[in-house]
Amino acid sequence: MEHFRNIGLIGRLGSGQVVDTVRRLKRFLLDNGHTVVLEDAVADLLPGHQLQVCTRKMMGEICDLVIVVGGDGSLLGAARALCRFDVPVLGVNRGGLGFLTDISPDELEERVGDVLAGKYLVESRFLLDAFVCRDDEQLGSSEALNDVVLHPGKSARMIEFELHVDGQFVYSQKSDGLIVATPTGSTAYSLSAGGPIMHPKLDAVVLVPMFPHTLSSRPIVVDGNSELRVRISKQNGIYPQVSCDGQVHIACAPGDTLIIRKKPQKLRLIHPLDHNFYSICRSKLGWSSRLTER
């Protein structure tokens, strides 16, 4: 297992609890002989820290491990920035559900200490690249760890579009949009729209229609290496949007094409040794526990 010396800290802004946890984490890491690097935005909240400060991009180049303190949204943003540098990422949950940030603040020193001692699991999570094109011109692009969503934006009208997978026509549809989710994102927006839960080890992508104008439209699971093309009909009376992880937004127009494919680089996500996907589902989604003997 890798041993980490230079450790970067990223924290969600606007939360006093996050700042307190970052302070605890900083003190613990320094006491154990590690070099701590703060993201510039977090450093402004810790006056007098006397530590190295850098951007997320630079953090990916100089750190052996990055710890994100916040919710899943914080980790999504860090993942998009850091995946290209192959630096492992560990999440401390100071948000809501915490599917990705699975270390509780109550166990901070113990759990992080285990990771630093080499007691951890590594998961490889793939991301998606999304491109919006008009004719032969690329208008915008972003990556997504959870999902790429075509939606009406501020309008309440349906979108008409065509879907092609690996060059093969699948269907034309009128709906509120389309969610294209990775296994990581299958427990997020896709789940709310009726999509299946996918184990993180699957190499697959799910396509979930949003309120389609037909009773026969259902989610489709395709190979993770598929290239998806969504052509927005020129007959649309609205200008829809493409959102990546709900954080990056690209404006579209009738006639534009959304192209989605797997990103070459992957996220290396660190978990404690007792990490269990099904246990997390039981806890976060309210599944029943085992039957008890009567």
Side-chain angles (χ1 to χ4, degrees), residues 174-190:
K174 289 186 71 173
S175 67
D176 281 3
L178 183 69
I179 302 171
V180 179
T182 65
T184 301
S186 70
T187 52
Y189 194 17
S190 170

Side-chain angles (χ1 to χ4, degrees), residues 42-92:
V42 175
D44 294 338
L45 305 177
L46 300 174
H49 56 77
Q50 298 181 334
L51 297 174
Q52 183 175 349
V53 178
C54 68
T55 63
R56 284 190 184 183
K57 180 179 178 181
M58 181 62 69
M59 189 172 284
E61 296 176 349
I62 66 176
C63 291
D64 307 313
L65 171 70
V66 173
I67 302 178
V68 179
V69 181
D72 286 345
S74 302
L75 197 139
L76 291 174
R80 294 195 305 272
L82 297 172
C83 66
R84 69 200 66 186
F85 301 103
D86 198 37
V87 58
V89 176
L90 175 68
V92 176

Side-chain angles (χ1 to χ4, degrees), residues 137-288:
E137 179 186 0
Q138 182 176 305
L139 301 180
S141 65
S142 182
E143 50 264 298
L145 177 61
N146 263 359
D147 46 43
V148 178
V149 181
L150 174 69
H151 61 96
K154 296 181 179 179
S155 173
R157 298 173 62 183
M158 286 188 169
I159 308 169
E160 187 172 4
F161 58 87
E162 282 186 359
L163 171 66
H164 291 78
V165 177
D166 289 331
Q168 296 183 340
F169 174 69
V170 180
Y171 53 58
S172 61
Q173 184 179 102
K174 289 186 71 173
S175 67
D176 281 3
L178 183 69
I179 302 171
V180 179
T182 65
T184 301
S186 70
T187 52
Y189 194 17
S190 170
L191 182 64
S192 301
I197 294 175
M198 302 165 68
H199 193 279
K201 291 184 179 180
L202 285 176
D203 187 3
V205 173
V206 63
L207 291 70
V208 184
M210 300 165 60
F211 297 104
H213 200 237
T214 171
L215 296 177
S216 61
S217 187
R218 293 292 184 268
I220 301 175
V221 178
V222 300
D223 185 86
N225 295 306
S226 301
E227 181 184 82
L228 313 177
R229 287 181 177 261
V230 182
R231 187 176 68 83
I232 302 167
S233 171
K234 292 182 179 180
Q235 309 306 316
N236 277 296
I238 63 169
Y239 286 70
Q241 284 190 345
V242 170
S243 295
C244 296
D245 288 340
Q247 298 176 341
V248 180
H249 310 286
I250 307 169
C252 302
D256 289 352
T257 299
L258 168 62
I259 302 171
I260 303 171
R261 61 176 72 101
K262 182 191 289 185
K263 190 173 186 63
Q265 300 88 359
K266 295 184 178 182
L267 171 69
R268 294 171 61 202
L269 190 59
I270 298 287
H271 296 292
L273 279 179
D274 61 353
H275 173 77
N276 182 307
F277 175 71
Y278 304 110
S279 175
I280 291 174
C281 287
R282 287 196 302 273
S283 170
K284 307 300 181 181
L285 300 178
W287 291 357
S288 297

